[in-house]
Amino acid sequence: MARIVMKFGGTSVADLDRIRNVAARVKREVDAGNEVAVVVSAMAGVTNQLVAWCQNLSPLHDAREYDTVVATGEQVTSGLTAIALQEIGVEARSWQGWQIPLRTDAAHGKARIDSIAGEELIRRMGLGQVAVVAGFQGVAPDNRVATLGRGGSDTSAVALAAALKADRCDIYTDVDGVYTTDPRIVAKARKLGKIAYEEMLELASVGAKVLQTRSVELAMKERVRVQVLSSFEGGNLLGSDLPGTLVVDEDEIVEKEIVAGIAYSRDEAKVTVRRVPDRPGIAAAIFGPLAGAGVNVDMIVQNVSADGTTDMTFTLGRSDLPRARKTLDDNLASIGFAEIVTDMNVAKISVVGVGMRSHAGVANTMFRTLADKGINIQVISTSEIKVSVLIAADYTELAVRALHSAYGLDAA
Ligand code: ADP
Ligand code: ASP
Ligand code: MG
């Protein structure tokens, strides 16, 4: 007997047939004698629609009301999944974040989990009841609904697995594991049997949507055994050969590649603050207020011009752009810029691998490959195990495919 958390993403609960399929999978685990908690996302596309409605009414909407709206998708699927389970004779009940309670911090819209009270769930699971938990949501210190940022159900699942001391956390999605890059845009992407926490963390943080970054961070910290697998095919009976990807410690991987994978993100925007005075403190004058407004800035470059002014260019998440613009405009007096230029037609392409620590030339291969394709690099940033570049969004697929080949990642 094992205690497991099974998380189903949006496409896995996209309609009633898919929800019936989820129920059948859960039943198999229950019949095998396991205690099961299920975490569900909203039906595919629903969260996007809810977000769009908020944005349409007001680009600078109240984040607490945004949470009230976007958390509803998971309320629907948790109830439906519980009904589907009951219908096939499996005892189940749904749990909203506030009912557990799953407590978060005050950062509405991208809240972090502070605690999960797991006792009642554990007690009921022990009596054979499946807990169907609405992912993505919790309750903030102001006693209002909070959501965990896009893709947050992954984090709900991993945090729940830690709180329930589960033996595994299975993340069911529409691909059968973690690949060397998004298999939707590179047909030759290879499935990885195992990936190191650190590589998965870095890949997720630069755009590989298959797991939310925070979920990987938590899994690494809490030692949760996470595996990514498809809800669309294959079996998952306990003891069978599970076909997904396991996220593991680096030393569990025998054959290490220099580059583990390539990720892209189209959720970027580029901002150039033009002709600011080139003086000490200018970076603090720009980025201080942005941080204060909760805007996460990613890549930064500064171009010094001859006349003593400088252009400061940086990237940020697209959804933060309205807030960033307003913050900069509000601080015009203390910064002293001529104009703000924004560009949404950009994408960030990143190459990730722990092997970079010990191998030189990874960045150079990237620059040369992109140059050969005539792709201009606008901004570069690096970390110990990652190189990222910002390019025009139109070249995203070309760049990812070319790099995938250049690093020898293509499937035979
Ligand atoms: P879910 O709704 O189940 O949470 P997501 O859309 O959030 O699913 O994540 C799964 C998607 O992640 C896949 O359909 C795939 O297009 C994308 N993806 C991006 N990079 C990778 C990668 N390296 N490996 C696997 N999938 C990836
Ligand atoms: N439904 C939420 C989203 O689309 C959470 C999730 O799917 O993980 O971001
Ligand atoms: Mg997801």
Side-chain angles (χ1 to χ4, degrees):
M1 195 205 83
R3 183 177 293 160
I4 56 180
V5 171
M6 304 170 78
K7 181 260 172 176
F8 294 91
T11 44
S12 305
V13 292
D15 56 38
L16 295 183
D17 276 340
R18 299 297 314 156
I19 290 176
R20 285 190 191 97
N21 169 67
V22 164
R25 256 174 207 283
V26 172
K27 185 175 190 306
R28 266 190 266 158
E29 296 289 0
V30 172
D31 289 347
N34 297 315
E35 291 182 3
V36 184
V38 177
V39 175
V40 286
S41 292
M43 289 179 173
V46 167
T47 310
N48 285 347
Q49 175 65 76
L50 297 169
V51 171
W53 282 337
C54 296
Q55 272 163 356
N56 192 307
L57 283 175
S58 164
L60 290 170
H61 47 255
D62 181 337
R64 293 159 301 188
E65 302 305 350
Y66 164 94
D67 279 347
T68 302
V69 175
V70 301
T72 58
E74 276 72 10
Q75 175 159 346
V76 172
T77 48
S78 61
L80 290 174
T81 304
I83 293 174
L85 282 165
Q86 290 167 1
E87 187 59 21
I88 55 172
V90 177
E91 205 187 320
R93 80 152 267 191
S94 64
W95 294 85
Q96 307 311 297
W98 62 270
Q99 292 172 320
I100 296 176
L102 183 156
R103 296 195 187 282
T104 71
D105 66 9
H108 281 281
K110 42 182 155 186
R112 291 167 77 98
I113 299 174
D114 279 341
S115 68
I116 300 181
E119 306 78 35
E120 184 59 13
L121 268 66
I122 291 175
R123 191 184 70 79
R124 290 175 183 240
M125 285 161 69
L127 297 172
Q129 188 179 76
V130 172
V132 186
V133 174
F136 184 49
Q137 50 160 274
V139 57
D142 59 7
N143 215 21
R144 301 186 64 174
V145 174
T147 62
L148 308 177
R150 297 309 307 272
S153 298
D154 297 327
T155 303
S156 307
V158 173
L160 192 67
L164 301 178
K165 301 190 170 48
D167 300 290
R168 340 191 280 267
C169 181
D170 294 347
I171 306 281
Y172 286 92
T173 183
D174 55 2
V175 285
D176 61 356
V178 178
Y179 281 70
T180 46
T181 191
D182 188 344
R184 283 179 200 287
I185 73 161
V186 179
K188 289 181 178 163
R190 262 192 297 121
K191 190 170 103 183
L192 300 164
K194 290 179 180 170
I195 185 164
Y197 284 116
E198 280 187 59
E199 287 171 332
M200 190 63 243
L201 185 62
E202 200 82 45
L203 277 174
S205 76
V206 291
K209 293 206 165 127
V210 61
L211 288 175
Q212 197 198 32
T213 309
R214 181 84 185 108
S215 73
V216 187
E217 229 169 71
L218 253 182
M220 195 164 151
K221 181 163 153 270
E222 303 284 343
R223 317 312 297 168
V224 176
R225 269 188 97 71
V226 171
Q227 84 179 313
V228 176
L229 60 177
S230 168
S231 70
F232 287 76
E233 63 203 350
N236 185 32
L237 292 167
L238 193 74
S240 75
D241 203 7
L242 296 167
T245 299
L246 266 176
V247 188
V248 298
D249 273 324
E250 201 181 316
D251 50 22
E252 277 190 54
I253 298 177
V254 188
E255 294 209 1
K256 290 192 187 70
E257 308 273 351
I258 298 171
V259 167
I262 296 165
Y264 65 92
S265 167
R266 293 192 176 101
D267 298 332
E268 312 288 313
K270 185 176 74 167
V271 175
T272 302
V273 187
R274 297 218 40 223
R275 301 179 61 80
V276 292
D278 189 16
R279 59 168 171 83
I282 192 64
I286 294 174
F287 298 113
L290 289 171
V295 173
N296 284 328
V297 169
D298 180 16
M299 313 165 98
I300 302 176
V301 279
Q302 184 178 350
N303 302 302
V304 180
S305 65
D307 65 357
T309 69
T310 173
D311 288 353
M312 194 75 86
T313 296
F314 58 90
T315 66
L316 73 183
R318 221 170 251 206
S319 58
D320 279 341
L321 189 55
R323 208 173 304 278
R325 242 211 127 102
K326 177 169 190 309
T327 305
L328 293 172
D329 284 337
D330 290 349
N331 288 276
L332 172 59
S334 54
I335 305 170
F337 53 84
E339 63 172 333
I340 293 174
V341 183
T342 61
D343 184 358
M344 306 263 266
N345 185 36
V346 290
K348 182 170 70 174
I349 314 291
S350 308
V351 173
V352 172
V354 289
M356 278 183 212
R357 290 195 195 112
S358 47
H359 286 79
V362 173
N364 192 43
T365 302
M366 183 174 202
F367 304 152
R368 183 166 304 281
T369 305
L370 296 176
D372 288 347
K373 295 287 176 194
I375 300 171
N376 188 39
I377 297 173
Q378 303 178 13
V379 189
I380 301 171
S381 72
T382 63
S383 80
E384 203 190 6
I385 64 165
K386 177 204 77 185
V387 188
S388 300
V389 297
L390 196 76
I391 63 170
D394 305 341
Y395 296 115
T396 306
E397 301 188 3
L398 177 64
V400 173
R401 287 194 191 115
L403 292 168
H404 198 266
S405 300
Y407 290 107
L409 297 174
D410 288 354

